[in-house]
Amino acid sequence: MYIIPKLLKNYSPKRFNLAKKKKQKYYVVWFGNPAGIYDSWEKCKKAIQGISGAQYKSFETLPEAKIAFQKEYVDYKGKNTKKKKILTSEELQRIGEPNLYSIAVDAASSGNPGKMEYRGVDTQTHKELFRQGPFMQGTNNVGEFLALVHGLAFLKQQQSDRMIYSDSRIAMGWVRRKKCNTKLKRTSQNKKIFELITRAETWLKNNTYTTKIVKWETKAWGEIPADFGRK
RNA sequence: ACAU
DNA sequence: AAATGT
Ligand SMILES: [Mn+2]
Ligand SMILES: [Mn+2]
């Protein structure tokens, strides 16, 4: 099915009332207790918990799920219901190669929210330049944001004109607007993170920089060099 | 939808 | 499989 680029560009979850609601999914459990079709991950989880070798998969619609339930798990196991987009050689050519005169930053979180950390490396050598955390109850996006601002401050302090790569569109947007728009709830455990956010936003508003912030093209180049390699 |  | 975000 074709999707018009203009509509794609204007895509907004809010317009489809998906902003706050989780997308409805249906979960087929072929081997569980009991097998069946469930309309929430919570219910599905109960049916597979403690079942070694449980067989289950999510579907976007109930009709899809009903058909799948009457078929075999092996017909769906490992099937890319997710579109793992492969770039055409034209796209690869247009993207080109990364500029190695740069640093790369990335964040990782065990759980999201969860135990979050971030670091920056030399894109060329992968040598670690800075690393912070882990911090309790952070989000992936906050980590990517803090990493980017840390990188900006690092390069300014070094008087370096290298550019910075990030794979996070969210963090790049927040830095551009000098505003971390996280929805993360404050807790007693993540005070430090919110202090760092405030400190980062303050840095952005009180400092100038000419550093180019560039999207790391993961599909073309593989994982960003700063990646923690846990996926 | 896209990026994590 | 989940969640974080525009
Ligand atoms: Mn990342
Ligand atoms: Mn990563």
Side-chain angles (χ1 to χ4, degrees), chain A residues 52-78:
Chain A
S52 177
Q55 298 174 344
Y56 59 101
K57 184 173 178 56
S58 73
F59 294 87
E60 310 236 324
T61 69
L62 185 52
E64 273 183 290
K66 283 178 168 170
I67 290 168
F69 188 46
Q70 290 162 221
K71 301 181 73 172
E72 302 243 349
Y73 176 61
V74 292
D75 296 335
Y76 294 92
K77 183 177 188 220

Side-chain angles (χ1 to χ4, degrees), chain A residues 101-145:
Chain A
Y101 185 64
S102 62
I103 71 170
V105 299
D106 196 28
S109 187
S110 176
N112 193 20
K115 199 191 303 183
M116 176 273 285
E117 59 194 314
Y118 70 82
R119 69 177 189 149
V121 306
D122 184 290
T123 305
Q124 171 113 279
T125 66
H126 295 199
K127 185 193 172 206
E128 190 170 88
L129 302 172
F130 54 83
R131 184 191 193 112
Q132 293 288 295
F135 306 102
M136 303 313 296
Q137 296 176 9
T139 70
N140 60 336
N141 293 323
V142 168
E144 301 270 17
F145 170 77

Side-chain angles (χ1 to χ4, degrees), chain A residues 113-116 134-139 142 146 182-198:
Chain A
K115 199 191 303 183
M116 176 273 285
F135 306 102
M136 303 313 296
Q137 296 176 9
T139 70
V142 168
L146 293 176
T182 184
K183 306 300 187 292
L184 181 64
K185 270 273 285 204
R186 287 177 185 268
T187 70
S188 55
Q189 291 206 69
N190 62 20
K191 267 187 66 177
K192 180 64 181 173
I193 287 175
F194 280 93
E195 288 173 21
L196 291 172
I197 289 171
T198 297

Side-chain angles (χ1 to χ4, degrees), chain A residues 105-107 144 167-168 223-224 227:
Chain A
V105 299
D106 196 28
E144 301 270 17
D167 63 21
S168 171
E223 285 284 356
I224 194 166
D227 180 54

